[in-house]
């Protein structure tokens, strides 16, 4: 028997406002196993069917009033005591495997005779009886129910990377969401000001797509002219996500005397930062392609490339490149072990959030430097995948390609090593880019560390 979903849109389908489900009697001379397969192959308005799960007297009263017929039929229901005699369980639908609690047996039924392990009702009196799979008293049929099965979602986007000022459309394919209903979504990774219209939360209507459903969400992005680096836009529906990289197309005027424009803030460690390797912690500048570092899962990650960038303090100050200093103990006891210097957009892992260093600045234990002796040297660590590694004891992210590798002084070295540029998948962790996005619990934690370090006269 085919299990290809079939549309069920004829007038024999009845709507129950109480359960918010649909019901339909199919006239098919089949045993219970085939009745189950047939019911589960049916689809009505995007809702997949199953052998009816009758749960209470009001639901059963609806069935009796909706399907009063003059012909004699034996209509299979979705319960059986085949597993344990006398224990009637659902064997189809959302309650599959659960013990049934409502019945409307004929007097003397169920009689548990032989292999009479399946329930049916007779259309002559709508009373229930048990019968064997091979029972041939009358012609048979089945009661199909639509609605109540878990909804599933598959989300895709029209583009994986877009520029500010453009649009991207997300497609949400659904199963077991009725056509005409709506699904709720949230947008994360950006702020309201990044949108030219709409909001960060909303609903989308599910329309017919074959026998299933489809909703679309179009996100219109603002061209904000604020240099903030690439952003990761995530659309979420019931835990399912689709991610798009938004490229920063804003233009920052060059400093007097010339200089680069459209510069993206690097994601790097300052020279001298100690990185935890499989042996001892060593300065980041001592790492080379092929070096191994410790990752958060307890394993090792191999360095695929070490990017390098050198800037004068004057240029760095203009471009907001000056390092952020996270004082020893600012995050927790002995965390960092020593003062940690990061580029402003390098993220550290705090309570399950990837938080950019600039979002942690509090003016006391975490500050962005205003002066720097000598040129600023930044090093990025690229591993095979986006990883969490340790710098001065602090879990920090490795390089992720929402920043262009072309920004690094030794980009030609990368090109020689890897002629074909690859796309990286970002860790599925919430990212906090701005101070206003910092969760309250983390703010309070940082404030408590200020008090503790002040008590120890370390601030």
């Amino acid at each position: 028997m085919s299990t290809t979903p079939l549309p069920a849109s004829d007038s024999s389908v009845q709507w129950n406002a109480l359960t918010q489900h649909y019901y339909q009697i199919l006239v098919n001379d089949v045993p219970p196993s085939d009745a189950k397969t047939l019911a589960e192959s049916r689809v009505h308005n995007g809702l997949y069917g199953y052998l009816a799960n009758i749960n209470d007297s009001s639901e059963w009263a609806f069935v009796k009033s909706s399907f009063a017929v003059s012909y004699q039929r034996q209509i299979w229901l979705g319960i059986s005591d085949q597993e344990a005699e006398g224990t009637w369980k659902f064997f189809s639908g959302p309650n599959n495997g659960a013990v049934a609690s409502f019945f409307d047996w004929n007097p003397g039924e169920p009689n548990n005779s032989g292999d009479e392990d399946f329930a049916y009702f007779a259309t002559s009196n709508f009373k229930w009886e048990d019968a064997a799979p091979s029972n041939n008293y009358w012609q048979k049929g089945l009661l199909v129910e639509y609605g109540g099965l878990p909804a599933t979602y598959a989300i895709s986007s029209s583009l994986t990377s877009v520029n500010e000022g453009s649009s991207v459309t997300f497609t949400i394919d659904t199963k077991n969401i009725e056509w005409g209903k709506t699904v709720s979504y949230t947008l994360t990774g950006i702020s309201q000001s990044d949108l030219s219209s709409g909001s960060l939360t909303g609903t989308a209507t599910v329309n017919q797509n074959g026998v299933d459903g489809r909703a679309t969400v179009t996100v219109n992005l603002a061209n904000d002219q604020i240099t903030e680096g690439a952003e990761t836009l995530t659309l979420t529906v019931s835990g399912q996500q689709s991610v798009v990289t938004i490229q920063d197309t804003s233009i920052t005027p060059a400093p007097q005397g010339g200089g680069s424009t459209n510069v993206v803030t690097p994601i790097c460690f300052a020279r001298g930062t100690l990185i935890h390797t499989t042996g001892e912690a060593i300065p980041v500048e001592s790492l080379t392609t092929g070096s191994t570092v410790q990752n958060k899962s307890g394993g090792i990650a191999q360095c695929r490339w070490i990017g390098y960038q050198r800037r004068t303090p004057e240029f760095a100050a203009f471009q907001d490149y000056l390092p952020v200093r996270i004082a020893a103990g600012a995050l927790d006891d002995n965390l960092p072990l020593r003062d940690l210097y990061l580029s402003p957009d390098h993220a550290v892992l705090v309570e399950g959030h990837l938080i950019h260093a600039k979002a942690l600045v509090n003016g006391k234990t975490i500050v962005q430097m205003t002066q720097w002796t000598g040129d600023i040297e930044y090093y990025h660590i690229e591993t095979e995948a986006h990883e969490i590694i340790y710098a001065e004891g602090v879990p920090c992210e490795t390089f992720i390609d929402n920043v262009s590798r072309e920004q690094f002084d030794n980009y030609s070295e990368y090109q020689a090593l890897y002629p074909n540029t690859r796309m990286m998948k970002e860790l599925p962790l919430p990212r906090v880019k701005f101070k206003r996005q910092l969760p309250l619990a983390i703010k309070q934690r940082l404030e408590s560390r200020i008090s503790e370090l002040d008590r120890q006269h370390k601030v």
Side-chain angles (χ1 to χ4, degrees), residues 102 116 127-128 152 163 177 208 371 392:
F102 173 81
E116 294 188 350
K127 288 295 184 180
W128 299 15
T152 60
N163 291 333
I177 295 287
Q208 181 178 359
Q371 293 183 330
E392 305 292 358

Side-chain angles (χ1 to χ4, degrees), residues 329-333 445-454:
L331 301 177
D332 209 337
D333 290 339
R445 170 178 170 174
L446 295 177
E447 288 168 2
S448 70
R449 292 305 303 166
I450 293 173
S451 300
E452 177 60 23
L453 294 180
D454 187 48

Side-chain angles (χ1 to χ4, degrees), residues 178-404:
E178 187 177 355
W179 303 335
K181 300 292 186 183
T182 59
V183 294
S184 298
Y185 65 85
T186 58
L187 301 173
T188 55
I190 61 173
S191 62
Q192 183 64 49
S193 62
D194 291 315
L195 299 178
S196 63
S197 62
S199 65
L200 297 175
T201 61
T203 59
T205 301
V206 175
N207 298 304
Q208 181 178 359
N209 181 41
V211 297
D212 294 317
R214 172 171 289 178
T216 58
V217 176
T218 298
V219 179
N220 299 308
L221 299 166
N223 194 3
D224 59 16
Q225 298 299 310
I226 300 171
T227 301
E228 55 193 356
E231 296 174 283
T232 301
L233 166 63
T234 303
L235 180 136
T236 303
V237 176
S238 292
Q240 298 300 308
Q241 297 183 329
S242 181
V243 176
V244 173
T245 299
I246 304 173
Q247 302 296 343
D248 190 351
T249 56
S250 58
I251 304 297
T252 302
Q256 257 190 333
S260 176
T261 61
N262 198 28
V263 181
V264 179
T265 304
I267 301 179
C268 305
F269 301 99
R271 182 182 183 87
T273 301
L274 294 182
I275 305 296
H276 296 232
T277 68
T278 49
E280 60 183 351
I282 65 173
V284 63
E285 63 269 21
S286 298
L287 295 173
T288 60
T289 299
S291 295
T292 55
V293 293
Q294 237 180 47
N295 63 18
K296 188 174 181 294
S297 62
I300 61 171
Q302 189 172 63
C303 298
R304 195 168 183 268
W305 181 52
I306 307 297
Y308 172 75
Q309 198 173 57
R310 184 181 186 133
R311 295 290 181 266
T312 65
E314 294 78 17
F315 181 85
F318 180 83
Q319 293 289 349
D320 198 26
Y321 273 31
L322 285 167
V324 171
R325 176 179 65 84
I326 303 176
L331 301 177
D332 209 337
D333 290 339
N334 299 315
L335 199 66
L337 295 165
R338 306 186 310 161
D339 289 357
L340 173 61
Y341 293 89
L342 301 171
S343 60
D345 277 311
H346 198 123
V348 299
L349 184 67
V350 182
E351 295 185 8
H353 293 70
L354 282 173
I355 304 178
H356 289 214
K358 68 183 181 185
L360 293 168
V361 169
N362 55 30
K364 294 183 179 179
T365 58
I366 305 175
V367 298
Q368 184 162 16
M369 306 301 291
T370 57
Q371 293 183 330
W372 194 264
T373 302
D375 289 349
I376 297 169
E377 295 177 88
Y378 280 132
Y379 295 81
H380 102 61
I381 300 172
E382 180 171 346
T383 51
E384 188 63 33
H386 189 210
E387 296 258 14
I388 300 297
I389 61 172
Y390 294 93
E392 305 292 358
V394 176
C396 300
E397 68 175 336
T398 57
F399 177 79
I400 180 68
D401 59 356
N402 54 20
V403 169
S404 172

Side-chain angles (χ1 to χ4, degrees), residues 416-454:
L417 287 168
Y418 310 108
N420 299 316
T421 302
R422 65 183 187 132
M423 296 293 289
M424 298 180 72
K425 184 177 182 181
E426 189 169 358
L427 285 168
L429 296 169
R431 184 176 287 273
V432 176
K433 300 177 68 174
F434 305 103
K435 194 168 186 175
R436 66 178 181 271
Q437 299 172 327
L438 202 61
L440 178 60
I442 296 177
K443 285 183 183 177
Q444 292 171 338
R445 170 178 170 174
L446 295 177
E447 288 168 2
S448 70
R449 292 305 303 166
I450 293 173
S451 300
E452 177 60 23
L453 294 180
D454 187 48

